[in-house]
């Protein structure tokens, strides 16, 4: 196993990427309990909510209340998405310590998701990042559609590099490379990350795979072989993006953890406690998990998530 990192940072996106995609609006108290359960699992980063337009994502309109309600674990960071200056000001008012700005490698998705062009999004982020850094707030960046776009299809790796570089140039500390619609395979992970890693250190990149076509874990292995040590995942496998038709299901945190635990790769995260958090939120949503690990866990215990 020497070609794999000894330690991986799991960046949990369930409360944000998961809940933004649900038809029902989860009560704030249940979101708070869900995040608290994830905190008790030892996750180092939990993307807790989004300070986006409530017209775009009504599911997360209660972002300030979620941030005020959660218990802040000493070893956990609670980043939130912000799309613009308005979101950044709201995040500062809510006492957020870490934010993420987000754009994409394809124009049509960027237009559908944040109603602007890639260039304009990057220009807009300059003031967002400046405000964050002036308040001592760390900033992550996302590049969506890095492996394919729901509207345009193929996305060339140099487009991903261009947007990633631009985000780093305006001051983000880490860029998460998103397979928004889960079309990538390990060969494409090698092409995209291989190109990025020619000029960007692995420590400034993260991998964000959706598991729409069942390739997410294989893609994680390929990314780890290239030296990537931060992997995004969503408890229970919740997730998607309302502006990416068919983007069901992020890589499940349980499936990722089961694999990493079995490979003796350290994460500091307790798998059974993540499962407990997922079963809680799936019960609220009345849904069964897409996580394979969680399906087996529930069957073994004779439980029901919904
Ligand atoms: P817009 O309509 O072009 O902009 O939206 P606007 O400035 O005209 O704003 C529209 C309304 O929203 C206005 O209200 C604003 O005040 C309000 P009105 O005057 O009509 O009453 N507004 C806000 N309210 C609260 N907080 C704000 C905010 N901004 C505007 N921050 C905008 C442009 C970017 C705001 C909108 O399109 C938006 O919020 N988009 C977010 C979409 C989103 O969250 N998508 C999912 C996350 S990305 C993702 O899932 C991918 C990822 O997981 C990685 C991957 O998988 O690849 C990260
Ligand atoms: Mg996503």
């Amino acid at each position: 196993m020497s070609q794999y990192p000894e330690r991986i940072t799991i960046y949990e996106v369930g409360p944000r990427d998961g809940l933004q995609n649900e038809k029902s609006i989860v009560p704030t108290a249940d979101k708070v309990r869900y995040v608290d359960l994830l905190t008790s699992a030892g996750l180092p980063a939990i993307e807790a909510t989004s300070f986006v337009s409530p017209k775009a994502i009504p599911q997360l309109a209660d972002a300030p209340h979620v941030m005020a309600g959660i218990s802040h674990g000493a070893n956990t960071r609670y980043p939130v998405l912000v799309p613009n200056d308005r979101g950044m000001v709201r995040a500062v008012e809510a006492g957020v310590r870490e934010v993420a700005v987000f754009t994409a490698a394809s124009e049509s998705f960027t237009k559908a998701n944040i109603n602007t062009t890639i260039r304009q999004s990057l220009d807009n982020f300059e003031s967002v990042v400046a405000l964050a850094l002036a308040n001592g707030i760390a900033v992550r960046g996302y590049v969506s559609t890095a492996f394919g776009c729901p509207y345009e299809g193929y996305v060339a790796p140099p487009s991903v590099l261009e947007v990633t570089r631009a985000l780093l140039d305006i001051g983000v500390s880490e860029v998460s490379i998103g397979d928004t619609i889960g079309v990538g395979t390990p060969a494409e992970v090698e092409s995209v990350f291989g190109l990025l890693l020619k000029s960007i250190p692995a420590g400034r990149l993260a991998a964000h795979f959706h598991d729409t076509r069942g390739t997410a874990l294989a893609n994680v292995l390929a990314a780890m072989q290239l030296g990537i040590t931060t992997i995004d995942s969503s408890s229970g496998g919740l997730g998607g993006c309302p502006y990416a038709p068919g983007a069901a299901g992020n890589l499940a945190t349980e499936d990722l953890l089961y694999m990493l635990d079995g490979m003796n790769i350290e994460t500091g995260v307790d798998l059974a406690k993540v499962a407990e958090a997922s079963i809680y939120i799936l019960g609220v949503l009345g849904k069964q998990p897409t996580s394979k690990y969680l399906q087996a866990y529930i069957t073994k215990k004779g439980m029901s998530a919904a």
Side-chain angles (χ1 to χ4, degrees), residues 16-17 20 51 53 55 84 86 90 113 115 144 180:
R16 194 279 304 167
D17 211 343
Q20 75 180 15
F51 286 77
S53 164
K55 287 186 178 141
N84 52 18
R86 172 91 192 277
R90 291 176 64 216
N113 197 35
N115 194 26
S144 287
T180 317

Side-chain angles (χ1 to χ4, degrees), residues 13 16-17 20 47 50-57 60 81-88 90 100-104 109-116 142-146 176-181 208-210 232 240-243 247 250:
V13 296
R16 194 279 304 167
D17 211 343
Q20 75 180 15
E47 208 167 75
S50 290
F51 286 77
V52 296
S53 164
K55 287 186 178 141
I57 309 283
L60 304 181
L81 287 197
V82 298
N84 52 18
D85 288 343
R86 172 91 192 277
M88 192 62 231
R90 291 176 64 216
V101 293
F102 52 106
T103 185
F109 179 79
T110 310
K111 177 74 184 157
N113 197 35
I114 50 174
N115 194 26
T116 189
Y142 279 101
V143 179
S144 287
T145 63
S176 181
I177 306 300
D179 186 6
T180 317
I181 53 168
H208 180 105
F209 297 121
H210 285 245
D232 300 359
C241 174
Y243 300 97
N250 281 70

Side-chain angles (χ1 to χ4, degrees), residues 59-101:
Q59 293 91 332
L60 304 181
D62 59 353
H65 303 291
V66 171
M67 292 312 290
I70 59 175
S71 303
H72 289 251
N75 300 315
T76 305
R77 295 139 48 206
Y78 300 91
V80 301
L81 287 197
V82 298
N84 52 18
D85 288 343
R86 172 91 192 277
M88 192 62 231
V89 168
R90 291 176 64 216
V92 170
E93 283 166 3
V96 164
R97 304 306 312 148
E98 189 172 328
V99 297
V101 293

Side-chain angles (χ1 to χ4, degrees), residues 121-295:
S121 72
L122 293 164
D123 290 348
N124 295 345
F125 294 156
E126 281 189 32
S127 56
V128 175
V129 174
L131 183 56
L133 298 181
N135 283 279
I137 293 172
V139 190
R140 165 185 248 223
Y142 279 101
V143 179
S144 287
T145 63
F147 297 84
C149 171
Y151 309 105
E152 295 171 27
Y154 177 73
V155 172
S159 312
V160 183
L161 175 62
E162 195 183 330
V163 184
T164 305
R165 283 233 67 90
L167 283 168
L168 291 168
D169 287 347
I170 60 173
V172 315
S173 55
E174 169 183 278
V175 181
S176 181
I177 306 300
D179 186 6
T180 317
I181 53 168
V183 286
T185 66
E188 283 148 339
V189 171
E190 275 183 47
S191 318
V192 172
F193 278 99
L195 177 64
L196 297 177
L197 288 164
K198 283 186 184 161
S199 58
I200 301 168
R204 301 197 67 185
L205 297 171
H208 180 105
F209 297 121
H210 285 245
D211 201 23
T212 319
R213 291 167 184 79
T215 53
L217 271 184
N219 290 344
V220 168
L221 278 183
M224 289 197 306
Q225 279 168 355
L226 293 166
I228 301 300
T229 56
T230 298
I231 309 288
D232 300 359
S233 63
S234 171
S235 97
L238 290 174
C241 174
Y243 300 97
N250 281 70
L251 166 62
T253 305
E254 289 90 342
D255 298 356
L256 174 64
L257 252 179
Y258 179 75
M259 183 179 84
L260 297 179
D261 285 352
M263 294 170 74
N264 285 323
I265 295 174
E266 271 179 59
T267 62
V269 183
D270 183 325
L271 176 51
K273 288 193 172 164
V274 175
E276 198 187 311
S278 300
I279 288 168
Y280 175 76
I281 198 66
L282 287 162
V284 171
L285 293 166
K287 282 182 83 165
Q288 297 297 333
T290 57
S291 160
K292 293 284 187 194
Y293 175 88
L294 200 53
Q295 287 169 8

